[in-house]
Amino acid sequence: MKRTEYPRPQLVRDEWLNLNGEWSFAFDDKDLGIKEGWYETEDLLDQTIEVPYVYQSKASGINSQENHEIVWYKKNITMPKSYDDKEIILHFGAVDYVSEVFVNGHKVGSHTGGHTPFSFNITPFVVDEKATITLRVFDPRREETIPRGKQTWEDQPHSIWYTNSTGIWQTVWLESVDKTHIETLRFNPEVDKGQINCKAVFSQDLSGAAIDYVITYKGEQIIKAAFDVSDSTHSVTFDLHQKNIFRTSHHHNGWHWTPETPNLFDVKITLRSQQAVLDEVKAYFGMRKIHTEKGQLFLNNKPYYQKLVLDQGYWSESLMTAPDDAALKYDIEISKEMGFNGCRKHQKVEDPRFLYWADHLGYLVWGESASAHFFDEASVPLVTNEWLEIIKRDYNHPSIVAWVPFNESWGINDVGRDEQQQHYSQALYHLIHALDTTRPVISNDGWEMTVTDIGAIHHYGHGEMDEKEKYMRFKKDLKTQEAILTSDSADRSIYANGFTHQGEPILLTEFGGIGYKKDDQDGWGYSSVDNDEAFVSEYARIMEAVCESEILAGYCYTQLYDVEQEINGLLTYGREPKVAVEEIKAINDNDGS
């Protein structure tokens, strides 16, 4: 079980060093590490761990679910000769939760947040091409005001809360760059105009430099251009059609990105100074537009019915970290085989490699952050800062078609009537739009929404098969706009006090959750069956109510696979289909969309 793939698919360099694998490791329950200077020597710690898997997972080699809030990592490395005379950048894909990084005994920086990447220039601290990298992590398990998502704060997983994750859970890596290099890229597709805007941000102001762009589509060169640069940024817009009749009118629709046609343009960008190459990166973009209009969702100006499935992003052997790259790809492939065209990534900022596969395979993704469990003023900057980092990391992925900052009023528990929490919900909604004007934002997925671009409603009231009256109420609730907006299956109003539906599309974004035990895991679901035939029948019964709705613009079914005590997936926790995928697909294909 290894994670060897390139970890940042939207800004690729050839020169990099994967630091995953064996690290020394220690628990620090008495918080002695700083006092005793564990970071000051090359001496290894008393355990070993397989990075990037958290100690609570089997894949880590430790597999302990005991509560250890402070942990340490250490690794001695020798720099490749090719790193000589280069800047050395140390990257962490994600570390839960507060990180302090030391190199050769010197503190190089810190980061707070469990789901987003961070990096440091460690060049001044490397001695004779050698570096001892030490990481201290503090993960306050019982603190419920930090954004923890589905991780439990208690001693054992329970209800809808899973085994917690502490420490490194995404790839750690090094890269060497020139002092002058490209720091970020942003692509803004203008589908209506057939144009792409490319913005590059550099590590410092430039003088006498040039930047080259080469854009290709399925191996065909579309754009080749060079520009002088004399600032810390460069922005340019390219006409992909170039007044070519075969690239305009209806012909260019074949270049659009959709789940059915996941077309991507490859980009190579070279930064030069007097013909010397300072930096060269590779990236890609998709020509994709998502917008709402007259109660419908549109993809590239055409109504598009979203058939999503809830995806928690957990694995039995490795928790929040996929065991390998193939596991990320598999979840998308089998979802599409069952007739879904996307997922809502639930309470987790997923590994960029998942988004890479979603981009390449054609799979819609709703990006969602981990929520705090309760509201506190202290949680506001923590959640807000993660959103700044989420959008910076994931903006370029065409597969992402919506942002979800809150779920079911977690972290804004009284938003239904509390004006302070309503301001918080609105502030985050507007902040996300200030950073990204291209995607809809759902203010609070489930209920008690404030200002929102999609009316995202949860309803698990379908009942057991013999609860016919309950089922008929479920069908009635989904049938019309008036019925669904006045439903209260969770004893919560659909919109918060002072807010009403403003014509935005309505989607059923959590429902279903049929409990079916197919392995040794005991657990629960929102209804239950005990054989394959009953499972298919129950799924068809629930989807019939969705199909007959006159108002729904799409749905998100709960859920793709079992997770620990939640045995309400279409697959087991080990990703085995509970019934033939063809049977699920046949029902999904007959949903009236």
Side-chain angles (χ1 to χ4, degrees):
M1 188 176 296
K2 299 288 185 182
R3 293 301 303 272
T4 59
E5 63 283 345
Y6 191 86
R8 188 185 57 199
Q10 279 285 2
L11 188 69
V12 178
R13 291 188 176 94
D14 292 335
E15 190 73 46
W16 73 293
L17 180 65
N18 193 333
L19 298 185
N20 290 342
E22 187 176 285
W23 288 55
S24 67
F25 181 80
F27 300 125
D28 187 10
D29 296 338
K30 296 182 179 180
D31 195 11
L32 297 175
I34 294 292
K35 182 179 179 180
E36 296 180 356
W38 292 6
Y39 58 90
E40 293 178 332
T41 71
E42 296 183 11
D43 297 341
L44 299 180
L45 305 171
D46 61 2
Q47 299 186 67
T48 59
I49 189 169
E50 185 73 15
V51 167
Y53 308 106
V54 296
Y55 80 81
Q56 293 96 335
S57 71
K58 297 174 186 176
S60 71
I62 296 176
N63 192 25
S64 169
Q65 287 74 51
E66 295 177 352
N67 183 21
H68 301 284
E69 292 191 340
I70 301 174
V71 300
W72 288 75
Y73 297 79
K74 184 176 287 193
K75 190 176 186 70
N76 297 322
I77 63 173
T78 300
M79 302 298 164
K81 286 292 185 182
S82 59
Y83 283 26
D84 292 351
D85 301 320
K86 294 279 190 176
E87 302 290 295
I88 302 170
I89 311 298
L90 173 62
H91 295 272
F92 293 87
V95 181
D96 203 350
Y97 180 68
V98 180
S99 304
E100 294 179 82
V101 180
F102 305 85
V103 175
N104 289 335
H106 300 278
K107 184 174 179 177
V108 300
S110 61
H111 179 264
T112 298
H115 285 77
T116 48
F118 57 97
S119 60
F120 303 106
N121 187 330
I122 65 170
T123 311
F125 308 103
V126 176
V127 178
D128 297 329
E129 299 179 346
K130 295 185 181 298
T132 297
I133 299 172
T134 307
L135 173 69
R136 178 186 185 270
V137 180
F138 173 51
D139 184 25
R141 179 165 178 171
R142 303 193 189 281
E143 177 54 65
E144 296 178 63
T145 59
I146 65 173
R148 62 172 58 252
K150 297 299 288 285
Q151 299 182 54
T152 185
W153 61 97
E154 297 186 355
D155 292 334
Q156 297 293 329
H158 63 286
S159 184
I160 61 171
W161 313 108
Y162 313 143
T163 302
N164 69 308
S165 293
T166 297
I168 298 170
W169 67 276
Q170 288 186 27
T171 292
V172 185
W173 51 295
L174 290 173
E175 66 177 345
S176 64
V177 295
D178 195 275
K179 188 173 183 179
T180 302
H181 60 274
I182 299 168
E183 285 196 336
T184 62
L185 291 174
R186 176 171 279 207
F187 299 111
N188 276 307
E190 293 283 350
V191 167
D192 296 344
K193 299 178 181 179
Q195 296 177 343
I196 184 71
N197 175 262
C198 308
K199 182 179 180 181
V201 177
F202 311 121
S203 57
Q204 60 183 10
D205 286 343
L206 299 179
S207 178
I211 189 168
D212 301 340
Y213 293 87
V214 177
I215 300 175
T216 58
Y217 175 74
K218 296 184 178 180
E220 176 190 358
Q221 182 174 292
I222 305 299
I223 299 289
K224 183 176 183 180
F227 304 90
D228 294 332
V229 291
S230 57
D231 202 346
S232 60
T233 65
H234 182 263
S235 180
V236 61
T237 298
F238 295 111
D239 180 2
L240 298 176
H241 300 163
Q242 296 180 343
K243 299 180 180 179
N244 186 322
I245 188 172
F246 294 104
R247 296 175 181 170
T248 58
S249 186
H250 66 278
H251 296 285
H252 76 272
N253 289 336
W255 281 5
H256 288 169
W257 186 96
T258 72
E260 295 74 29
T261 58
N263 297 313
L264 296 171
F265 291 78
D266 294 309
V267 187
K268 183 171 76 171
I269 301 177
T270 305
L271 190 61
R272 295 181 289 105
S273 179
Q274 297 179 349
Q275 301 307 313
V277 174
L278 301 175
D279 197 8
E280 186 171 276
V281 298
K282 297 173 184 176
Y284 63 86
F285 65 85
M287 295 298 289
R288 190 269 301 129
K289 175 185 177 182
I290 185 83
H291 80 281
T292 66
E293 183 180 336
K294 297 179 180 179
Q296 294 292 317
L297 282 161
F298 286 76
L299 181 63
N300 304 325
N301 298 319
K302 298 177 181 178
Y304 195 90
Y305 192 86
Q306 296 193 13
K307 305 178 185 180
L308 311 180
V309 64
L310 197 72
D311 185 345
Q312 310 271 9
Y314 274 74
W315 287 264
S316 59
E317 65 270 46
S318 51
L319 300 179
M320 293 204 306
T321 309
D324 51 37
D325 199 47
L328 295 167
K329 183 181 181 183
Y330 173 83
D331 282 356
I332 296 172
E333 289 176 327
I334 197 162
S335 297
K336 295 193 70 170
E337 287 176 20
M338 290 188 289
F340 297 102
N341 55 30
C343 75
R344 175 178 161 222
K345 269 292 176 179
H346 191 34
Q347 286 297 293
K348 179 192 181 188
V349 183
E350 189 54 275
D351 190 313
R353 292 294 305 181
F354 179 87
L355 299 174
Y356 168 88
W357 286 116
D359 294 339
H360 283 75
L361 297 174
Y363 195 62
L364 305 177
V365 178
W366 285 24
E368 182 175 340
S369 66
S371 296
H373 289 173
F374 293 104
F375 176 77
D376 188 278
E377 288 87 349
S379 70
V380 174
L382 299 178
V383 173
T384 300
N385 189 63
E386 288 214 353
W387 272 103
L388 297 175
E389 296 176 343
I390 289 166
I391 293 174
K392 180 180 179 180
R393 192 197 79 170
D394 291 343
Y395 183 89
N396 289 336
H397 290 285
S399 57
I400 297 180
V401 294
W403 295 120
V404 184
F406 291 108
N407 171 72
E408 292 186 345
S409 302
W410 299 356
I412 46 172
N413 311 74
D414 296 319
V415 70
R417 60 182 180 275
D418 184 276
E419 290 188 1
Q420 181 184 20
Q421 295 181 31
Q422 290 175 1
H423 283 306
Y424 179 25
S425 169
Q426 293 176 84
L428 208 47
Y429 168 90
H430 289 298
L431 172 68
I432 294 170
H433 268 305
L435 298 170
D436 181 359
T437 63
T438 69
R439 296 175 173 96
V441 179
I442 296 88
S443 66
N444 184 19
D445 203 294
W447 46 68
E448 296 179 327
M449 288 171 278
T450 58
V451 58
T452 189
D453 299 325
I454 293 174
I457 298 173
H458 298 179
H459 198 320
Y460 287 103
H462 59 272
E464 300 286 354
M465 279 190 173
D466 58 356
E467 294 180 300
K468 298 188 183 301
E469 184 176 335
K470 194 172 184 179
Y471 176 69
M472 294 309 296
R473 171 66 184 273
F474 176 67
K475 289 185 74 172
K476 182 180 178 181
D477 283 351
L478 302 188
K479 185 69 173 178
T480 66
Q481 177 176 303
E482 181 182 3
I484 199 167
L485 293 179
T486 55
S487 66
D488 58 351
S489 68
D491 296 323
R492 303 264 189 148
S493 60
I494 301 302
Y495 285 84
N497 287 353
F499 298 86
T500 59
H501 181 250
Q502 298 296 307
E504 58 269 12
I506 296 172
L507 277 74
L508 185 64
T509 51
E510 281 192 35
F511 69 103
I514 306 165
Y516 182 22
K517 180 178 178 178
K518 288 282 282 190
D519 52 26
D520 296 332
Q521 177 66 55
D522 292 323
W524 63 274
Y526 293 94
S527 60
S528 59
V529 298
D530 59 8
N531 62 74
D532 290 6
E533 183 179 357
F535 186 89
V536 173
S537 178
E538 177 74 341
Y539 185 77
R541 181 178 75 103
I542 294 169
M543 292 305 299
E544 178 184 290
V546 175
C547 176
E548 292 182 3
S549 173
E550 299 171 0
I551 188 62
L552 293 179
Y555 62 78
C556 179
Y557 178 83
T558 304
Q559 62 182 328
L560 180 55
Y561 44 81
D562 296 349
V563 183
E564 297 187 347
Q565 68 277 2
E566 288 189 29
I567 56 170
N568 51 19
L570 296 167
L571 316 175
T572 68
Y573 202 6
R575 302 309 200 266
E576 292 294 327
K578 291 185 177 180
V579 297
V581 296
E582 295 82 3
E583 293 190 84
I584 300 299
K585 184 178 188 303
I587 296 168
N588 288 343
D589 287 350
N590 191 37
D591 60 9
S593 63

